[in-house]
Amino acid sequence: MAGDQAPEMPQIKMSQFIPMFIMLGLGKIDLDEMGYRPFAEIFFGVVQILCCGVMGLIYKKIDAMSDDGTKINIPEVKQMGQVVSPATKQTPKEYDMAKIKDQIKQAVMGAVIVCGIYYKWRYLMPLVLQVVMTPLQLYESPLFQVHLLGREVKRPYPTPNPFGLPSAPPAPEPTSGKKEKEVKDKDAKEGKEGKKEAEGKKAK
């Protein structure tokens, strides 16, 4: 129907292409031979600390949000066909708080995994990727855009899928068509009842 708004299309982000260019660049340049390994290690540590500080600031801003009790419908989240988060209703503050907690947890887990890979195999590529991708993904996140840049982003936010592409918000239900059908069914029912009543009076 004309009154229904189509869902926003997912946006193409830089973080979807940067890893490919980094891997291509590291395939041609040997940072270890150039003596940049200590610098990569230092940058990795500094970037993780700074990003954790920024996420802590976002957490404080969310915690200071006013809560008027207005709730938004949060659709279920599916990954690989499995429901990982059921549909629910939350206030904007509750929703953003849950999102920042998930974001902090993912950032910590990512840093721990990269540290484990580097400690075991001494690969520089995951370290360099994390140095670039962590701040870039943090900047692109809806929470950063809303609470630090003051931009308007519609909740619920698009959910990244396992391939790194944002999922489009669910399409709105065709409420207008449903209402029209209900009205037609009601009219038809009333018409049948009126016809029966008229036939009953005629028989009398």
Side-chain angles (χ1 to χ4, degrees):
M1 300 300 294
D4 294 331
Q5 291 183 351
E8 295 177 5
M9 291 296 292
Q11 295 180 351
I12 303 299
K13 297 180 179 180
M14 285 181 62
S15 58
Q16 296 169 220
F17 302 101
I18 293 294
M20 180 178 64
F21 293 115
I22 293 174
M23 288 188 286
L24 288 173
L26 291 179
K28 296 180 180 180
I29 300 171
D30 193 336
L31 295 179
D32 212 359
E33 284 187 3
M34 298 172 69
Y36 290 138
R37 181 177 290 272
F39 296 102
E41 294 171 346
I42 293 169
F43 275 121
F44 174 80
V46 170
V47 165
Q48 301 310 308
I49 292 170
L50 289 175
C51 287
C52 284
V54 171
M55 285 186 283
L57 179 60
I58 294 173
Y59 182 95
K60 284 186 177 181
K61 283 185 173 290
I62 294 171
D63 192 44
M65 284 175 66
S66 58
D67 196 343
D68 59 2
T70 304
K71 295 196 173 186
I72 52 177
N73 293 317
I74 312 300
E76 67 179 15
V77 178
K78 285 186 178 181
Q79 288 184 358
M80 309 300 288
Q82 299 293 323
V83 177
V84 296
S85 177
T88 184
K89 288 186 177 182
Q90 291 178 317
T91 64
K93 182 177 180 177
E94 291 171 342
Y95 178 70
D96 284 7
M97 186 60 74
K99 284 293 182 183
I100 190 61
K101 286 179 179 177
D102 284 345
Q103 194 166 337
I104 291 171
K105 183 171 68 174
Q106 289 172 7
V108 172
M109 286 177 62
V112 170
I113 291 170
V114 169
C115 286
I117 292 171
Y118 183 71
Y119 178 78
K120 179 72 175 177
W121 291 287
R122 306 293 291 175
Y123 291 154
L124 267 176
M125 186 174 290
L127 214 66
V128 175
L129 279 171
Q130 195 80 350
V131 167
V132 177
M133 296 303 296
T134 302
L136 182 57
Q137 288 176 338
L138 178 59
Y139 172 78
E140 290 177 345
S141 70
L143 293 173
F144 187 96
Q145 300 292 316
V146 170
H147 296 285
L148 294 185
L149 300 183
R151 295 177 182 172
E152 289 289 333
V153 181
K154 187 179 178 181
R155 298 178 180 87
Y157 308 132
T159 305
N161 65 23
F163 303 100
L165 298 172
S167 302
E173 293 182 1
T175 52
S176 300
K178 189 176 179 181
K179 284 180 181 178
E180 284 180 6
K181 188 176 182 300
E182 287 175 356
V183 170
K184 286 180 181 178
D185 291 344
K186 188 177 178 182
D187 289 344
K189 189 177 178 182
E190 288 176 354
K192 286 180 181 178
E193 288 176 355
K195 190 176 180 182
K196 284 180 181 179
E197 192 177 336
E199 287 175 353
K201 286 180 180 178
K202 215 183 246 186
K204 286 179 183 180

